[in-house]
Amino acid sequence: MDINKELELYQFEKLNQTLFLNHPDAIYLLDLEGNFMMVNDEVCRITGHDRETLIGQSFEPLIEERMKAFTKERFLESIQDKPQRYETSIVTKSGFRHLDVTNFPLKNDDRILAIFGIAKDITEKKQKELELEQYMALLQMHNDELEIFRKILAHDMRKPVANALGFARLLNGSLPESKEKEVKRYLLHTVESVDVMLRDLNELIALQSTGKESKEAVDVKKTIKRIVNFFQEEIRQAGAVVEQEVADNIHIQTIKAYFNSIIRNLISNAIKYRSPNRQTVVQVSAFLHNGLITISVKDNGIGMNLAGIGKELFQMHRRFAPKAAEGNGLGLYIVNQQVRLMGGQIKVESELDKGSTFTITLPTQ
């Protein structure tokens, strides 16, 4: 080989090496066992490992666990002379990185010598895609809930408002004293039902803040006692007994409005869905265990067929005993959402004509 050809070959090899090492994407060579033979600076930057650490080591330990089998399968395809393009994830010192990878065989005639690979870091793109998916899901959820609000306003609230107007017109006329008392009672009941509905709608709207309200210290025993006292008239009218078994000095740091709403909804349901065949007994208990507070509201009411209800129990606008009591199907949905936003869990046990037990577990901080 003459000196000029040798110089040209040397310059070409240097140019290839320069392009390899300085390419903006991660470029590497793998031997047929999957070990790194060459890596450029971008491979080192993405993985967080220097060249000396990577050379001679397998690519497999870098791959995120759930993607290992898939990524290895793509590598095996490439050494069978089948170029591959795919997405995978690796684990680095700074967290997960998402890569768009192209592998193809480097051959000498028909013999495969190594696998040449190019990987583009698409982590930022994947994060934006995930954020967009989450935003679209949230938007869809809000749209669904707005439709529910519209239906509640158009249907559920229309009837009690129309009833209230009718009772008001009757009172505006001339009625016997006994009839007037009856109409006033009906009017008060109707207005109270509208008040409950508006309160539930307000709590639903409050849930859209995703639970970022500031936390406050809550004295559990005092709070439960105060809420039970709030229902004294309903308890009296139902001839019910509410038993409280709450340990002293239980304090939690939580979203106070949510905590109050959960207890209020569960006690209200226990009284509302009582059995006509026996005296209503509601048991409210609370205790601490392993840094968690467990609150239980148990009743001996009409109960539910949980097997038949399934996952619908906590869905919005679902009613399971419309003949037993009036309602708008929002209470348990609100309770479930509030418990979730407080970082807790809810469990339900129920049997037809035996009663129901709702158990809430919440963190104390």
Side-chain angles (χ1 to χ4, degrees), residues 317-356:
H317 218 50
R318 297 293 194 274
R319 295 181 62 197
F320 307 109
K323 294 181 180 179
E326 294 181 1
N328 51 37
L330 296 178
L332 288 182
Y333 171 83
I334 292 171
V335 167
N336 186 50
Q337 292 298 309
Q338 289 170 331
V339 169
R340 180 181 62 83
L341 292 172
M342 294 164 73
Q345 293 181 331
I346 182 168
K347 184 176 72 172
V348 186
E349 297 174 1
S350 189
E351 189 176 344
L352 282 174
D353 201 36
K354 295 289 182 65
S356 303

Side-chain angles (χ1 to χ4, degrees), residues 26-266:
I27 297 182
Y28 53 87
L29 277 180
L30 297 172
D31 64 23
L32 301 186
E33 299 298 321
N35 301 313
F36 287 104
M37 299 169 64
M38 292 180 67
V39 296
N40 70 351
D41 289 342
E42 184 65 4
V43 174
C44 299
R45 186 195 70 79
I46 291 174
T47 62
H49 297 289
D50 57 35
R51 188 171 282 103
E52 290 72 21
T53 301
L54 292 171
I55 299 301
Q57 299 299 314
S58 171
F59 72 88
E60 289 189 51
L62 296 174
I63 307 300
E64 183 189 356
E65 191 63 37
R66 66 184 181 88
M67 298 297 293
K68 279 188 176 180
F70 169 80
T71 306
K72 185 174 182 180
E73 186 177 343
R74 300 286 74 74
F75 171 75
L76 294 175
E77 291 280 343
S78 64
I79 65 175
Q80 294 173 20
D81 203 7
K82 299 175 183 177
Q84 301 287 310
R85 182 173 180 184
Y86 56 94
E87 291 184 6
T88 189
S89 304
I90 64 172
V91 182
T92 73
K93 294 178 181 178
S94 59
F96 294 109
R97 310 298 296 178
H98 298 279
L99 305 177
D100 182 338
V101 178
T102 301
N103 283 345
F104 56 88
L106 195 63
K107 298 191 293 184
N108 180 9
D109 296 326
D110 291 331
R111 181 167 167 252
I112 297 175
L113 304 175
I115 299 301
F116 183 84
I118 303 173
K120 184 182 289 291
D121 188 346
I122 58 170
T123 304
E124 187 176 342
K125 175 189 171 187
K126 296 295 285 186
Q127 287 174 340
K128 287 181 178 178
E129 288 177 357
L130 180 60
E131 289 172 3
L132 180 60
E133 288 176 6
Q134 291 172 338
Y135 173 77
M136 293 301 293
L138 184 62
L139 184 62
Q140 183 61 50
M141 183 184 72
H142 285 182
N143 286 339
D144 291 344
E145 291 184 350
L146 282 173
E147 178 62 14
I148 294 296
F149 297 158
R150 186 192 68 77
K151 288 179 180 178
I152 292 169
L153 292 172
H155 300 285
D156 288 21
M157 290 194 68
R158 186 175 180 180
K159 181 181 176 182
V161 169
N163 288 345
L165 286 172
F167 294 141
R169 291 190 183 105
L170 285 173
L171 290 173
N172 199 37
S174 179
L175 290 173
E177 185 177 346
S178 59
K179 188 68 175 177
E180 183 176 330
K181 285 183 179 179
E182 183 181 4
V183 171
K184 284 180 178 178
R185 186 169 69 251
Y186 287 143
L187 176 60
L188 177 61
H189 174 74
T190 301
V191 173
E192 286 174 342
S193 70
V194 173
D195 178 63
V196 170
M197 202 173 298
L198 288 173
R199 185 189 66 206
D200 286 346
L201 284 171
N202 184 58
E203 289 176 353
L204 269 179
I205 294 169
L207 286 173
Q208 305 310 310
S209 60
T210 66
K212 293 181 180 178
E213 290 84 348
S214 59
K215 294 183 177 182
E216 303 175 62
V218 174
D219 186 316
V220 174
K221 187 169 187 175
K222 286 184 179 179
T223 300
I224 290 176
K225 185 177 181 180
R226 176 175 53 77
I227 292 173
V228 170
N229 288 338
F230 174 81
F231 285 102
Q232 280 306 310
E233 181 58 23
E234 287 87 341
I235 293 169
R236 185 189 66 78
Q237 290 181 11
V241 174
V242 178
E243 301 172 352
Q244 301 176 58
E245 188 179 348
V246 183
D248 293 324
N249 300 317
I250 300 181
H251 295 83
I252 64 172
Q253 198 76 14
T254 192
I255 303 170
K256 190 174 182 179
Y258 286 4
F259 185 85
N260 291 345
S261 175
I262 290 167
I263 304 301
R264 186 174 64 245
N265 262 303
L266 294 182

Side-chain angles (χ1 to χ4, degrees), residues 218 220 224 245-246 250 252 259 262-263 266 283-288 292-298 342 345-347 357-362:
V218 174
V220 174
I224 290 176
E245 188 179 348
V246 183
I250 300 181
I252 64 172
F259 185 85
I262 290 167
I263 304 301
L266 294 182
Q283 297 171 305
V284 184
S285 63
F287 60 89
L288 283 174
L292 298 173
I293 180 172
T294 298
I295 301 165
S296 174
V297 178
K298 180 179 180 181
M342 294 164 73
Q345 293 181 331
I346 182 168
K347 184 176 72 172
T357 302
F358 287 80
T359 303
I360 310 291
T361 304
L362 298 170

